[in-house]
């Protein structure tokens, strides 16, 4: 790979790597392109990184160390054999054991997991903790499956995965479709196969090694990051501010909960079928019951709160989403990748939104990011804003290794400190490269530098 010093160089190199017949990889190239374009100032100004062409840092960073792909055969409740594909992408362990979630969703393929694994390397670097980057999962769809089927799938998945993971090797956790229930079944299977009770997964239920606050960590962390960013940029806060949130899973629910704690007014939640708009503020306890316990559609919310409005996905134009057209001070995309399009960004700009904080991984399309930055919306990028989840996973690894149990207050304090440190580091890095206020570039440069420094020091 040649030296990259201009946007044109970076685009040329990325184009060379692309396989035009592999649409699956589009999201991976999207994530990679954003990072490579952001770090150009680093190559221009810094001797060490200029020489990174010699070290092949970029080529090594965008190539996973290992892509593990396996068959998962399991018995459904009718005693019929079902077959899914399982994956673990061990992307980069320059800073520590591979670390990142498992996603169970029918859309899962190698390209999606490569994008998530690549993002995870830089996110984990930003936490300052000794953790590398990885991601895994399966095209298994947990929706509509019985508890027993979930258990049988998790058992079959771990029968293969256990060969490749370990507390000092690779430590998976949750992501879409994988929460405490699934991590419990995966952990139980690992323990039975290896006879070893060890911190090989994070996000475990709290009565056998899980950290207090891990379920809340990603969502609470997003809000802590947003508070710090608002303080640094405008000396403002979120009190009494209207906020819109997408998603109705782990991240969205805990963003909503923390927003309520600090006196903000979150008015929306969404799932794959539609949007709830409750102008009096979302009833988070009801949301938890519907989505975490009963696992039903959001539409059920309006049976309890009849004044809330339900907007099915089909009622909105294809390239825009109802949730981003509701006037707000802060918008929190917390569902999935590319859920905030350029049409949505234009609506946010039209409605004079001040801040967009990404809870999901890569929720905004490149055009949307460009439009928001150009219009001076404060954009808190996912790899910095949602790093609280993996940070508390890191705290869980520490607790497991030392056989300690930290209190909720202790974990919360450390999480708050970590999010503030990430925010300050990202802001000052952006400033250092004359990109004041551009947190997207600041996060990419700061994360890249930490990983690249380790890779250079470790040699090949
Ligand atoms: P959950 O499975 O708990 O919730 C996902 C939510 O997003 C559900 O409401 C789901 O709707 C909705 N959703 C999923 N896919 C789509 C889609 N294609 N279109 C519309 N809605 C969709 O996952 P999490 O809350 O854990 O994860 C949400 C995001 O946050 C993901 O991007 C994940 O990678 C990221 N993240 C998660 C972390 C964690 O600790 N869990 C840490 C950092 C980032 P429905 O119920 O209808 O399926
Ligand atoms: O995207 C993410 O950071 C996660 N899904 C959490 C990863 C982890 O190891 O806790």
């Amino acid at each position: 790979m040649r030296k990259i010093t201009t946007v044109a160089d970076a685009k040329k190199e990325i184009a060379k790597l692309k396989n035009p017949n592999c649409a699956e990889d589009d999201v991976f190239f999207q994530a990679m392109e954003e990072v490579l374009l952001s770090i150009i100032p680093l190559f221009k100004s810094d001797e060490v990184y200029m020489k990174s062409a010699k070290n092949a840092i970029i080529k090594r960073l965008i190539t996973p160390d290992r892509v593990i792909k396996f068959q998962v055969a399991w018995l459904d409740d009718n005693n019929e054999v079902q077959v899914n594909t399982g994956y673990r992408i061990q992307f980069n362990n320059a800073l520590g054991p591979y670390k990142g979630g498992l996603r169970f969703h029918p859309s899962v393929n190698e390209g999606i997991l490569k994008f998530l694994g690549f993002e995870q390397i830089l996110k984990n670097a930003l936490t300052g903790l000794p953790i590398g980057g990885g991601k895994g999962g399966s095209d298994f769809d947990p929706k509509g499956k019985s508890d027993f089927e979930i258990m049988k799938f998790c058992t079959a998945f771990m029968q293969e995965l256990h060969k490749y993971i370990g507390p000092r090797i690779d430590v998976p956790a949750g992501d879409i479709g994988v929460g405490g229930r699934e991590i419990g079944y995966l952990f139980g299977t690992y323990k039975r196969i290896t006879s070893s009770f060890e911190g090989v997964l994070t996000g475990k239920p709290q009565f056998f090694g899980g950290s207090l606050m891990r379920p809340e960590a990603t969502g609470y962390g997003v809000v802590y990051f947003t508070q710090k960013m608002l303080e640094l940029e405008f000396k403002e806060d979120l009190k009494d501010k209207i906020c819109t949130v997408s998603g109705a899973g782990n991240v969205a629910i805990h963003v909503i909960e923390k927003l309520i704690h600090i006196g903000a007014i979150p008015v929306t939640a969404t799932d794959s079928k539609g949007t709830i708009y409750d102008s009096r503020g979302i009833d988070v306890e009801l949301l938890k019951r519907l989505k975490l316990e009963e696992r039903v559609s959001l539409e059920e919310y309006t049976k309890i709160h009849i004044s809330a409005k339900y907007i099915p996905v089909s009622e909105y134009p294809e390239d825009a989403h109802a949730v981003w057209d509701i006037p707000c001070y802060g918008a929190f995309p917390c569902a999935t990748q590319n859920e905030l399009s350029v049409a949505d960004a234009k609506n946010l700009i039209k409605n004079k939104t001040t801040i967009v904080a990404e809870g999901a991984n890569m929720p905004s399309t490149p055009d949307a990011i460009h439009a928001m930055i150009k219009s001076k919306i404060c954009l808190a990028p996912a790899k910095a804003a949602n790093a609280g989840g993996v940070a508390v996973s890191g705290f869980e690894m520490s607790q497991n290794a030392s056989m300690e149990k930290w209190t909720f207050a202790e974990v919360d304090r450390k999480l708050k400190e970590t999010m503030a440190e990430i925010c300050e580091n990202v802001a000052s890095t952006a400033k250092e490269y004359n990109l004041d206020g551009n947190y997207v570039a600041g996060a990419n440069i700061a994360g890249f530098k930490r990983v690249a420094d380790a890779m250079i020091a470790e040699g090949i």
Side-chain angles (χ1 to χ4, degrees):
M1 190 177 271
R2 295 182 316 119
K3 237 188 279 180
I4 298 174
T5 48
T6 64
V7 171
D9 290 343
K11 290 201 163 162
K12 220 181 279 168
E13 289 303 328
I14 294 163
K16 270 198 262 168
L17 297 167
K18 260 188 191 161
N19 173 357
N21 300 321
C22 189
E24 274 188 10
D25 269 349
D26 285 356
V27 275
F28 174 46
F29 281 97
Q30 180 185 330
M32 197 199 305
E33 190 160 280
E34 182 203 293
V35 172
L36 294 194
L37 296 184
S38 299
I39 61 179
I40 289 169
L42 196 59
F43 292 109
K44 281 188 181 158
S45 69
D46 204 315
E47 257 304 292
V48 179
Y49 304 109
M50 284 267 280
K51 284 195 196 126
S52 81
K54 195 172 108 195
N55 293 307
I57 290 296
I58 302 285
K59 187 111 195 236
R60 288 163 58 206
L61 188 70
I62 62 176
T63 309
D65 288 349
R66 221 159 281 110
V67 175
I68 300 156
K69 183 172 176 182
F70 49 93
Q71 182 195 113
V72 188
W74 55 282
L75 268 187
D76 70 14
D77 285 348
N78 298 319
N79 277 335
E80 281 177 18
V81 177
Q82 300 293 335
V83 182
N84 289 99
T85 304
Y87 304 87
R88 185 71 185 166
I89 307 221
Q90 296 180 332
F91 222 117
N92 183 294
N93 64 353
L95 291 173
Y98 304 107
K99 180 85 197 88
L102 296 171
R103 179 177 288 192
F104 291 170
H105 193 273
S107 64
V108 163
N109 58 40
E110 203 173 304
I112 287 184
L113 296 177
K114 278 198 289 193
F115 121 63
L116 289 163
F118 179 72
E119 289 283 290
Q120 198 82 44
I121 305 169
L122 301 182
K123 178 193 318 197
N124 294 3
L126 287 173
T127 65
L129 297 170
I131 42 180
K135 202 85 189 188
S138 174
D139 56 1
F140 171 72
D141 185 359
K143 273 202 196 119
K145 302 292 188 300
S146 70
D147 197 56
F148 208 53
E149 287 176 323
I150 299 283
M151 188 178 81
K152 285 189 287 185
F153 175 80
C154 289
T155 299
F157 184 84
M158 187 50 89
Q159 253 153 14
E160 185 64 24
L161 186 70
H162 84 274
K163 298 172 191 167
Y164 311 104
I165 61 176
R168 292 277 181 265
I169 301 168
D170 182 356
V171 184
D175 192 79
I176 290 179
V178 178
R181 172 181 63 164
E182 291 74 19
I183 295 290
Y185 294 145
L186 291 163
F187 180 79
T189 307
Y190 178 89
K191 181 174 62 83
R192 280 186 290 277
I193 295 172
T194 62
S195 297
S196 182
F197 193 111
E198 53 188 2
V200 69
L201 292 152
T202 58
K204 295 182 288 298
Q206 286 153 14
F207 48 96
F208 53 88
S211 176
L212 287 169
M213 249 203 98
R214 177 60 188 89
E216 294 87 351
T218 310
Y220 283 18
V222 171
V223 178
Y224 295 153
F225 187 95
T226 310
Q227 287 179 300
K228 190 72 198 174
M229 190 170 173
L230 284 171
E231 180 195 314
L232 292 180
E233 296 300 312
F234 312 119
K235 306 240 170 315
E236 284 188 13
D237 61 35
L238 286 163
K239 190 155 187 342
D240 298 325
K241 306 288 197 315
I242 302 288
C243 296
T244 52
V245 181
S246 68
N250 174 277
V251 179
I253 285 174
H254 294 106
V255 163
I256 291 171
E257 184 167 77
K258 185 47 75 180
L259 286 172
I260 295 170
H261 286 172
I262 62 165
I265 310 162
V267 292
T268 62
T270 74
D271 64 11
S272 50
K273 308 254 163 44
T275 297
I276 281 291
Y277 173 40
D278 189 341
S279 60
R280 297 157 317 157
I282 290 286
D283 175 349
V284 73
E285 293 311 318
L286 175 62
L287 191 63
K288 282 186 184 174
R289 174 155 68 79
L290 296 177
K291 296 308 282 190
L292 301 182
E293 289 168 31
E294 297 171 12
R295 300 176 194 266
V296 293
S297 159
L298 261 188
E299 196 170 3
E300 299 291 312
Y301 186 100
T302 54
K303 288 192 181 150
I304 310 284
H305 292 294
I306 47 173
S307 65
K309 199 169 157 203
Y310 179 72
I311 312 157
V313 169
S314 56
E315 270 184 28
Y316 226 73
E318 232 169 63
D319 59 341
H321 303 86
V323 64
W324 309 129
D325 201 9
I326 293 166
C328 66
Y329 175 91
F332 296 79
C334 298
T336 193
Q337 64 271 8
N338 290 331
E339 56 162 314
L340 196 159
S341 65
V342 69
D344 295 321
K346 284 181 184 157
N347 285 333
L348 292 165
I349 294 162
K350 173 194 76 186
N351 290 329
K352 301 199 181 343
T353 304
T354 299
I355 190 161
V356 174
E358 297 183 331
N361 284 310
M362 204 170 75
S364 314
T365 65
D367 290 348
I369 294 176
H370 183 69
M372 290 189 281
I373 290 181
K374 206 167 145 214
S375 303
K376 304 272 181 243
I377 285 186
C378 259
L379 179 59
K383 61 174 76 66
N386 76 25
V390 77
V392 174
S393 277
F395 301 161
E396 186 169 322
M397 288 164 73
S398 297
Q399 292 171 76
N400 291 166
S402 59
M403 304 283 279
E404 283 176 347
K405 180 106 189 144
W406 303 352
T407 63
F408 191 95
E410 200 173 350
V411 181
D412 194 30
R413 181 181 55 76
K414 283 187 198 291
L415 173 64
K416 240 183 236 166
E417 275 170 19
T418 304
M419 298 316 293
E421 278 166 18
I422 296 173
C423 189
E424 278 161 356
N425 179 20
V426 167
S428 64
T429 305
K431 210 174 268 173
E432 192 185 330
Y433 290 90
N434 295 322
L435 293 158
D436 227 351
N438 184 339
Y439 283 57
V440 174
N444 288 330
I445 295 173
F448 172 82
K449 272 172 99 167
R450 185 156 184 251
V451 183
D453 287 346
M455 288 171 74
I456 292 168
E458 288 171 18
I460 50 167

